[in-house]
Amino acid sequence: MKVQAFTKSARNSKTIALSKKIIKLKQEKDAVILAHYYQEEAIQEVADYLGDSLYLAQQAAKVDNDIIVFAGVHFMAETAKIINPTKKVLLPDLKAGCSLADSCPPEDFAKFKAKHSDAIVVSYINCSAKIKTLSDLVCTSSNAKKIIESIPKTQKIIFAPDKNLGAYLNKETRRNMILWDGSCIVHEAFSFEKILSLVKNYPKAKFIAHPESESPILDIAHFIGSTSELLNFVQKNDANEFIVATEVGILFEMQKSCPKKTFIPAPVEDDTCACSECAFMKLNTLEKLYNCLNEETPEIQLDSNLMDAARVPINRMLELS
Ligand code: 13P
Ligand code: SF4
């Protein structure tokens, strides 16, 4: 099995020149760039705020710039727009979707919800605005446990759309939430067998995983957490080697903040693909980021009634976080 430790790729002069243009333009336009850890390195470096889904939603609620460029996927930019209905929210590539959000079509979910009329709905933020309107509470992987624990134990809960995160939360909170059958293609691509043999070959390494991964993988992890929690863990833990099961973009910030440590992306089932890269996240490029800031398009546009309804469970999450 070919294992490659993560190394920072060289930045070329074109990237540096484009980054400078973006920084100048965002100052001229008083725009702010929010970027998720799964974005390409050059985008992470021009961001004003870099973080996980919760941190970015919290920053979106705080910033006072008129233009927000969201370097992430559609549901993230949509959330920023719902929180800031009067601001211009731009997404470098409108096709930057999410397999997990797509795995929960609103019409099907509404029927599922109707079958469990005594249950409340907690939805993972990785879902469409329409699903948020069908939810009582929203959560991210950073605050999911806290949100679930804020609900009385006797209350029936539907958790959607991620069945892997839901199963993990059921275990952690000793609940029996009803799970929607959705998942993330990136976190389901990891190979249990290959990870097991890598862990054996690196006995001193800590194996860490995002809770969107499947349960056999989570069962052998030394630590489970959201992207920010994984980052905090590698910064504080004494180990020098880490095998990381989440989208490979986070390794850039891990390596930057711990230059002496070694980070190994967890292997995926299919050796022929870069499956631990989220193809949706990677649709955004530095060039598209520049163009969208320059032309102020593509812009997230949503119906105001939809935004009003979707804002309710998002605000509940922000208050509880
Ligand atoms: P977090 O940002 O909550 O770690 O979630 C990861 C993810 O899959 C975002 O798409
Ligand atoms: Fe969606 Fe998975 Fe990509 Fe996150 S990593 S945006 S959950 S497909």
Side-chain angles (χ1 to χ4, degrees):
M1 184 190 349
K2 198 164 154 255
V3 174
Q4 268 188 325
F6 181 81
T7 49
K8 185 180 180 304
S9 64
R11 300 197 56 203
N12 61 36
S13 54
K14 192 178 162 215
T15 306
I16 294 167
L18 200 50
S19 303
K20 283 184 182 159
K21 279 167 77 175
I22 291 171
I23 292 164
K24 189 164 171 273
L25 197 54
K26 79 176 177 192
Q27 281 160 355
E28 283 166 13
K29 294 194 178 222
D30 189 30
V32 65
I33 301 177
L34 307 183
H36 192 273
Y37 287 127
Y38 296 167
Q39 290 293 283
E40 64 174 44
E41 296 154 24
I43 293 182
Q44 294 191 32
E45 289 197 322
V46 295
D48 296 288
Y49 298 95
L50 172 67
D52 72 353
S53 307
L54 176 62
Y55 175 78
L56 296 174
Q58 288 169 327
Q59 293 316 310
K62 281 185 199 159
V63 294
D64 52 17
N65 312 63
D66 289 333
I67 300 179
I68 297 176
V69 183
F70 211 114
V73 289
H74 196 274
F75 74 81
M76 296 179 176
E78 205 173 58
T79 304
K81 178 69 184 175
I82 293 165
I83 299 171
N84 297 286
T86 59
K87 291 186 181 172
K88 192 174 261 186
V89 177
L90 306 170
L91 178 65
D93 190 325
L94 270 192
K95 290 193 287 303
C98 167
S99 66
L100 183 49
D102 290 348
S103 68
C104 195
E107 304 75 35
D108 297 348
F109 184 71
K111 285 184 203 148
F112 181 77
K113 185 182 163 179
K115 280 192 205 149
H116 306 279
S117 54
D118 52 345
I120 64 162
V121 176
V122 178
S123 65
Y124 188 33
I125 200 163
N126 302 31
C127 65
S128 65
K130 184 72 192 157
I131 294 294
K132 290 182 177 86
T133 68
L134 300 170
S135 307
D136 298 280
L137 271 162
V138 166
C139 70
T140 76
S141 57
S142 277
N143 62 15
K145 208 174 147 197
K146 190 172 171 186
I147 299 276
I148 303 296
E149 281 174 344
S150 74
I151 302 165
K153 270 234 145 123
T154 49
Q155 175 63 58
K156 262 195 184 177
I157 304 172
I158 293 174
F159 186 83
D162 191 0
K163 63 177 177 189
N164 294 317
L165 176 61
Y168 168 71
L169 290 167
N170 270 345
K171 242 189 219 173
E172 285 290 296
T173 62
R174 296 168 184 274
R175 306 233 177 183
N176 191 19
M177 296 189 294
I178 304 154
L179 307 181
W180 177 260
D181 188 16
S183 60
C184 156
I185 44 168
V186 178
H187 289 87
E188 284 209 327
F190 295 115
S191 161
F192 174 72
E193 306 299 335
K194 290 181 191 173
I195 292 172
L196 209 55
S197 92
L198 195 57
V199 168
K200 281 188 190 139
N201 288 340
Y202 287 81
K204 290 190 182 148
K206 290 275 187 278
F207 170 55
I208 61 174
H210 194 283
E212 285 175 26
S213 311
E214 292 174 304
S215 58
I217 288 177
L218 298 180
D219 288 345
I220 58 164
H222 296 111
F223 180 74
I224 298 164
S226 66
T227 42
S228 293
E229 288 165 341
L230 296 178
L231 180 62
N232 286 339
F233 180 81
V234 304
Q235 288 166 342
K236 294 197 179 119
N237 192 270
D238 289 340
N240 285 315
E241 291 167 338
F242 298 88
I243 299 163
V244 186
T246 192
E247 210 273 358
V248 73
I250 184 66
L251 272 68
F252 178 60
E253 189 61 22
M254 287 179 172
Q255 193 71 79
K256 204 167 146 187
S257 66
C258 309
K260 294 200 172 131
K261 297 188 177 183
T262 301
F263 299 98
I264 304 164
V268 292
E269 206 64 70
D270 180 354
D271 288 327
T272 62
C273 78
C275 304
S276 62
E277 280 199 348
C278 173
F280 301 103
M281 286 274 181
K282 271 31 181 203
L283 277 177
N284 295 328
T285 61
L286 197 63
E287 198 159 356
K288 287 183 196 169
L289 175 56
Y290 173 76
N291 290 339
C292 105
L293 184 55
N294 191 35
E295 291 153 23
E296 299 186 19
T297 187
E299 184 185 351
I300 302 289
Q301 271 163 339
L302 295 168
D303 173 78
S304 65
N305 291 332
L306 178 76
M307 285 197 279
D308 289 345
R311 197 176 304 115
V312 177
I314 296 173
N315 280 344
R316 281 192 194 126
M317 172 192 80
L318 292 173
E319 281 157 24
L320 282 167
S321 300

